[in-house]
Amino acid sequence: MTMTSGSRAARGADLLLTAIAAVSWAFLAMAGVAALGLHLLGADAAGSLGPMTAAVVVLAVGGSVTPSGSVEAFGLTGAGAHTTIDIAPLGVALVGALLLGWVFARSLRALGPSVGGAELAARAGAVVVLFLLILGALAWAGSSTVTFDGGALGLPSGSGGGPGGGPGLEIPGLGDIGDIGGGLTDRLRDLADAKASVGFSVRTGPSLLGGLAWVLGVLLITLLSARRAPLPRGWEALHRGVRPAASALRAVLVLAVVAGLAAAVAAASGDGHPGRVAGAALLGAPNGVWLGVPLGLFVPLRGMASGSLLQMLPHPLDDLLRTRTGQDVSVVRLAELDQGVWLLPMGCGLLMLTAGVLTAARTPRGAAGAVGFSARCGLALGAVTAVALPLLVLATRVKADASLSVLGIDAMGAGLELSGSAPAAAALGAVWGFVAGVAGGLLAYATGAAGRRAAPLARAAVAAGGGAYPDPAYLPGPYNPSAGYRPARPETNPYLRQPGDDPYSAPTQTSRAPLRPPPRPPRQPGYRYGASPVPPPDEPPPPRGRG
C-alpha cells in the first residue's frame, strides 16, 4: 500500500465516522426530546410511545403524517374523524439541527485553513445519505393507532377549564394560545362516553423530500455561520462579512428560545400540571417565540380561526379574528385592542440591536473608520436578516382543521390558520438588519469592542486582501500573533526599558558633562575586519644581478 492510498483510506474513514457521529447524535437527541415531551404531556397513556416518537421526529424534519380514525359516540358506530395538522415541533428540530451542525463543523476544523470543494461535497453528501436512510426507517416505524376513551378523560360536569373546574392547560411561549379550556372543554364534556380510535401513518415519499430539504438547509446554515470552519478557496468573502452576521443572528435566536424555556420553567412551578407545561415547552417553545419575532418586526400575518380553536387564541388575537375570517394580523391592529402589545416590537428591536453588536464584535475592523465599519456591519446583517426572517415565517406557520362527524352529522368543527408574508418579511428583514448593524457597529467602535471577537480565519481573510500569499502566511504564528496575544510593555519587559527609565540600571554619572563613548583605535593599513594582519617582511629582497 502506497502513502497515497493510505491517506485516501484514512480520509474515507474519517468522512464516514463524521457522518455517522453527526447523524446518530442528531437523531438520538431529537428522539429523546420528542419522547420526553410526549411522556410529560401524557400521550403515552393513549398509545405506544415508540411510533408516536418516530412520527414526531419525522414531522420535526419536514415530514408528513396522515391521521385517520373512527369514533363511537352516543351509542352509534361508523363515525369518522378527519384531522389535518400542518405544524412542526420546532423544539425537536432545533436540538437536532444544533447537534448535526456542531459535529459537522468540528470535523472540518482539522482539515486546515481551507478545504477542497470536492472533499466538502463528499462530506456533506455522506451526511445527507445517512440521514435519509435513518429517516426512511423512522417513516416505516411511525405508524400506529391511538385509542381514546372519553370516560377516562376526567372531564368535569360543570363549566370551567381543566379537571376539577381549575384552569386549563397553558402552553408557554404562546401566551393565551396555550389556554386549552372554556368552550373547548364544555364541548368535549358532552363526548365523555365516546371512544375514539385514531390512526396515523407517515407518508414516506413526501417525508424523504422534506427531510432532504431540511438536512441541506441545516448544512448550508452551518457553513454560513460556523466562523472557525474552513471554506474552499475563493470563498474568503464569507469569512469577512457573511459569517459574523449569520453567527450573531443565530446566537440571538437561540438565546430567545432559551429565554422562552426559562419562562416555561417559571410557569410550570406555579401550575397544577407542571409536567404538561414542561412537555409542551420542549416540543413547541420555538414555535411561539419565533412566531412573535416576525410579528414584532411588523411583518403582516394572515389569520383565520373558527369553532373551538378560537378559544385557544390570545386575547387580542381572538377578538380580532372573531368578527371575520381571513383577517390581516399586525401589531398596529392588535394594539388597538390591547396597548400591551407594543412591548413585543420593543423586545424584538432589542433583540436585533444585540445581533448588531455581536456582528460588529465578530467582524474584523481592518483599516476602516467608524462610518465605513458600521456600514459594512449593517450591509452584512441586513442581507442575512433578509433571508432568515422569511425562513422563520415559513417555519412557524400554523394550519389545523379538525372535524368530528357521526353518521354524516357534524358534531364538532374547528379550524385555525396563521401564516405570514415572505416577501414582506424579506424587505423588513433587510431594513431592520441594516439599521441594527449600523447601530451595533457604532456602539462597538465607540467602546473598543469592534473586531475583538473576530475569528482567526476572518482576520486572515482581511490581511490577505486579494490572496497574494498562501493561507499559512496569514495564520497565527511566531511572526503573526493571534488575536489573543498581548504585546509586551516596557514596565513588564526589561529589554524594552530606556536607560533613564529605571534608576537602578542607569549608568553612574559623577559630573554634568555628557557621557561620551571612548575613541575608536586607528585601523592599521591593510587591515580587514575578520582577517589577521599580515606582518611586514624583515628585509627587502636583494636586487637582481646581471646574468
Side-chain angles (χ1 to χ4, degrees):
M1 178 181 296
T2 62
M3 292 296 294
T4 303
S5 60
S7 176
R8 291 179 179 177
R11 285 292 181 94
D14 179 68
L15 183 148
L16 183 60
L17 291 177
T18 298
I20 293 175
V23 175
S24 60
W25 277 110
F27 272 108
L28 285 175
M30 288 190 292
V33 172
L36 181 59
L38 292 173
H39 173 70
L40 293 175
L41 288 174
D44 52 348
S48 178
L49 185 60
M52 284 191 292
T53 301
V56 169
V57 173
V58 172
L59 280 176
V61 296
S64 177
V65 176
T66 302
S68 62
S70 62
V71 177
E72 299 177 3
F74 309 111
L76 301 177
T77 59
H82 308 282
T83 304
T84 301
I85 299 176
D86 185 9
I87 180 173
L90 295 182
V92 179
L94 178 61
V95 173
L98 290 177
L99 271 178
L100 180 65
W102 181 76
V103 176
F104 183 75
R106 290 283 297 183
S107 67
L108 296 178
R109 295 186 190 180
L111 302 180
S114 63
V115 59
E119 184 169 2
L120 181 62
R123 288 178 174 271
V127 172
V128 171
V129 171
L130 187 58
F131 184 89
L132 293 180
L133 289 177
I134 298 181
L135 183 61
L138 289 178
W140 172 80
S143 300
S144 181
T145 300
V146 181
T147 302
F148 300 93
D149 188 358
L153 293 178
L155 297 176
S157 57
S159 63
L169 171 63
E170 183 179 353
I171 301 177
L174 301 181
D176 294 336
I177 291 181
D179 187 9
I180 305 177
L184 181 58
T185 306
D186 295 338
R187 289 174 179 246
L188 291 177
R189 187 188 65 246
D190 299 332
L191 300 178
D193 296 330
K195 292 182 179 180
S197 178
V198 180
F200 58 90
S201 60
V202 177
R203 301 172 60 189
T204 305
S207 298
L208 292 179
L209 290 178
L212 176 62
W214 186 88
V215 68
L216 289 178
V218 169
L219 293 178
L220 180 60
I221 293 174
T222 300
L223 289 177
L224 293 178
S225 60
R227 300 182 297 134
R228 294 176 176 83
L231 289 173
R233 293 182 181 272
W235 293 18
E236 289 81 8
L238 298 180
H239 291 301
R240 297 190 296 266
V242 177
R243 278 189 161 185
S247 62
L249 189 60
R250 180 194 61 182
V252 296
L253 290 177
V254 174
L255 182 62
V257 175
V258 173
L261 291 175
V265 172
S269 61
D271 192 86
H273 302 280
R276 295 183 180 181
V277 176
L282 284 177
L283 297 180
N287 293 77
V289 173
W290 290 347
L291 181 62
V293 171
L295 184 61
L297 297 180
F298 301 101
V299 175
L301 305 180
R302 188 78 174 175
M304 182 275 297
S306 62
S308 301
L309 293 180
L310 191 62
Q311 306 292 333
M312 302 171 58
L313 297 176
H315 164 58
L317 189 57
D318 62 350
D319 291 343
L320 181 62
L321 299 181
R322 192 184 304 274
T323 58
R324 187 165 57 90
T325 59
Q327 290 279 352
D328 291 332
V329 181
S330 63
V331 175
V332 177
R333 298 197 61 183
L334 292 175
E336 295 176 356
L337 304 174
D338 188 358
Q339 293 296 324
V341 179
W342 288 113
L343 294 176
L344 182 61
M346 293 176 58
C348 293
L350 183 60
L351 188 76
M352 291 301 302
L353 181 60
T354 305
V357 173
L358 284 178
T359 301
R362 297 175 177 182
T363 301
R365 194 173 73 176
V371 177
F373 177 77
S374 59
R376 189 172 61 188
C377 294
L379 291 175
L381 187 58
V384 171
T385 311
V387 177
L389 204 58
L391 293 180
L392 288 183
V393 168
L394 296 177
T396 56
R397 61 183 180 181
V398 178
K399 183 178 181 181
D401 183 14
S403 64
L404 179 64
S405 59
V406 180
L407 296 179
I409 301 175
D410 190 17
M412 183 183 72
L416 175 62
E417 185 175 356
L418 195 62
S419 60
S421 173
L428 289 172
V431 174
W432 276 98
F434 179 78
V435 173
V438 171
L442 292 176
L443 286 176
Y445 198 95
T447 58
R452 182 173 296 179
R453 303 291 298 175
L457 290 177
R459 296 176 183 272
V462 172
Y469 298 99
D471 292 338
Y474 305 101
L475 294 179
Y479 300 102
N480 186 21
S482 61
Y485 174 74
R486 185 180 65 181
R489 293 175 296 181
E491 58 268 19
T492 59
N493 192 344
Y495 295 98
L496 297 180
R497 297 173 185 168
Q498 298 296 329
D501 293 343
D502 191 356
Y504 299 101
S505 60
T508 304
Q509 184 175 358
T510 57
S511 65
R512 293 185 179 181
L515 296 178
R516 296 179 180 179
R520 182 178 298 178
R523 293 185 179 181
Q524 299 180 3
Y527 175 76
R528 187 175 58 187
Y529 179 79
S532 59
V534 180
D538 295 337
E539 55 183 8
R544 229 184 235 186
R546 295 183 179 180

